[in-house]
Amino acid sequence: MGDYDEDTAFLGQTGPYFWTTFFLLNTVFVSTGFNGLYIVFVGAAPKHHCLIPDVNLTDEWRDAIIPVRIVDGAEVQSQCSRYKLDVVRNLSAEGSIPGRGVNVTNLEQEGCLDGWIYSKDIYQSTIVTEWDLVCDNQWKVPFASSTLFVGYLVGSLISGQLSDRYGRKKVVFISLGAQCLSVLLQSFSHSWRMFCIMFLFVGASQISIYISAFVLGTEVLSKTMRVLFTTLGAFLFYCIGYMTLPWIAYGIREWRTLLAVLSATSVVYIPLWWFVPESPRWLITQGRVEEAEPIVRDAARRNKVDAPAIIFKESELQEMSPSKTYTMLDILKSKNIRCITLMCLLLWMAINIGYFGLSLNTSNLSGNPFMNCFLSATTEVPAYVVSTWLLKKCPRRVLLSSFLVIGGGVLLLIQFIPDTLQHVALALEMTGKFGFTMAFSIVYIYTAEIYPTVLRNVGMGMCSSAARIGSITAPYVIYLGTYNKVLPYILMGSLTIASSVVNLFLPETLHKDLPETNCCKRHPKH
């Protein structure tokens, strides 16, 4: 409703009602930080090698049966093969000694026919150790990660329609319950397939929480609080959950227990039902003014201001009429908007591949995986704060391209860092994460400013779908590291640098009015 801000101006811009609602809604985003990236620990692959059954072998042959290869100048046991057991058993029975008269490297090899032994130095159990998702089944881990992002795609497509029909508040709390139940059921998964199916529901419910709570906050809060909520609040509270996750995982090394505990954290949100209001804006659009007025009057009471006798004028309510619905076809009709959309789709896809690629890669870095994940989450906090400050003063186009070059550039540099300087490589990776997080937060604002009002919702929806496709792809980009550890960095870095060049062809929006109907009117050169 166009005059809602005018009609509720008597509430002021801050006050106990707005601050309480601000913090309560933001706490919801902590749960999305908890549940967004636990696959980093749940899907981690500990060191492993072939299981050698309890057969009659000498100690020398038991030690030598696993082939050794040189990786980056160090000897590493093979994870997927062993010397043929029957041959080794015969050599052991004959009294032969490996390396003395018997060249073990010439012996025939076979797969891990009896299973694997996994190190328990870091994890007691993961889905990898539970269902042997290694060697020929290694692809199942990135596939499982992708099902979460497929859930994101499904959830982002339906959550908006559900919240428009049933209300923002109902969808937020139903989604919280669905997330809690999905994660709990996932902890009881009896197979990899069931785990993936439940992960899809986790993703759908989680993105639904994020979108619905985000919309509810923008509609309930005042103009001043709305800016703080959309630019910092939601992102920073997500980071709090993300930063807390590795410490919970550090204390709980068994994947089923970890998921059960993460599921249980959603219970704390039940009391919020009685403190978080429904969106009065949404109630008014549904013609339910009699429900909207008590919410606004309660806000006035808590802010200690007097509400007028009539808050929403009848004449204004009658003026509300359904406007034309715009679709993706309207975006394709204009050559200018079509080109802008194609460039935005590439940007969103590239940024999401880089952001989620680096987030999912923390368990593969050298050093402590829990600390690496914590550092990865921590780099996001200054990124969100700095980007919010820079967006007020700097041109969007230059700003976004700069941080894309920083993010992509350091990823291309990593391959030149020698293995003896692992801390330098880690610092570069975190710098890359900082760049991608900056780009992530800037591209949201930038894209919204580029599209005309009538096409903004459709355009953002298309870009969001492209982002989901990028995040679905990210686990497979990281999977390339099993063939060559620098491949993911080369691919993500090159794609990001290319997108930074594409971004330079988009129109600048700093200090420009938002376009209402036609991008071309405001940007004649483009």
Side-chain angles (χ1 to χ4, degrees), residues 246-378:
W247 300 112
I248 298 173
Y250 178 79
I252 305 169
R253 309 293 181 95
E254 202 278 320
W255 76 270
R256 291 184 186 273
T257 309
L258 174 61
L259 292 192
V261 169
L262 291 176
S263 169
T265 58
S266 296
V267 175
V268 302
Y269 295 109
I270 294 174
L272 265 60
W273 174 265
W274 290 276
F275 296 98
V276 173
E278 180 55 275
S279 167
R281 291 174 190 262
W282 177 80
L283 290 169
I284 291 167
T285 62
Q286 303 299 303
R288 294 157 63 178
V289 185
E290 68 283 355
E291 293 177 53
E293 280 217 10
I295 293 172
V296 177
R297 292 191 184 280
D298 180 60
R301 180 185 59 80
R302 289 162 65 183
N303 275 358
K304 295 181 172 59
V305 296
D306 294 324
I310 299 173
I311 298 174
F312 304 111
K313 300 177 184 67
E314 193 67 32
S315 59
E316 290 176 358
L317 298 174
Q318 289 173 354
E319 284 173 11
M320 293 173 61
S321 58
S323 56
K324 179 183 182 298
T325 302
Y326 288 83
T327 66
M328 284 186 281
L329 291 176
D330 293 290
I331 282 180
L332 297 175
K333 286 176 185 175
S334 165
K335 181 183 177 183
N336 180 56
I337 300 176
R338 188 166 62 239
C339 292
I340 284 173
T341 300
L342 286 172
M343 289 187 281
C344 286
L345 294 179
L346 176 62
L347 268 176
W348 281 62
M349 199 178 299
I351 291 169
N352 270 262
I353 288 175
Y355 175 83
F356 284 105
L358 289 181
S359 297
L360 293 170
N361 194 47
T362 51
S363 62
N364 298 328
L365 300 174
S366 59
N368 188 309
F370 306 102
M371 181 56 72
N372 289 341
C373 182
F374 176 74
L375 291 173
S376 181
T378 304

Side-chain angles (χ1 to χ4, degrees), residues 214-226:
F214 199 86
V215 171
L216 180 57
T218 56
E219 292 182 349
V220 170
L221 298 172
S222 64
K223 280 184 180 179
T224 303
M225 299 293 289
R226 194 183 308 152

